[in-house]
Amino acid sequence: MNHAENAATLPVTWWKSSRSEAGAQCVECAVLDPHTRVAALRDSKAPVGPALLLPYETLGTFVTALKQGTLK
């Protein structure tokens, strides 16, 4: 898993998760590189904060773990 120190420097278009609530737990996603299948995730309340950079497969596993409540 990689990360970017400042998510605002990534050349991407961010969109908010459909599960995000206004002013609450907001996650934004972006496609970093469709050819290498890498996505970026950031906290919408900290747009110049860090972003996780995840391969699509890892992102799928991450989302599944969140939905199932198995992420520790």
Side-chain angles (χ1 to χ4, degrees):
M1 175 171 50
N2 292 317
H3 74 283
E5 291 293 328
N6 183 345
T9 64
L10 296 173
V12 298
T13 300
W14 295 95
W15 72 89
K16 194 170 289 197
S17 166
S18 62
R19 298 284 185 159
S20 294
E21 299 173 10
Q25 300 175 4
C26 302
V27 174
E28 290 182 325
C29 306
V31 174
L32 184 61
D33 186 344
H35 300 293
T36 59
R37 301 173 49 87
V38 175
L41 302 174
R42 74 176 180 182
D43 181 345
S44 65
K45 296 180 296 300
V48 296
L52 290 176
L53 308 179
L54 303 171
Y56 288 7
E57 295 78 19
T58 304
L59 178 59
T61 302
F62 178 69
V63 170
T64 298
L66 287 173
K67 287 180 180 180
Q68 294 175 347
T70 58
L71 188 64
K72 295 181 182 190

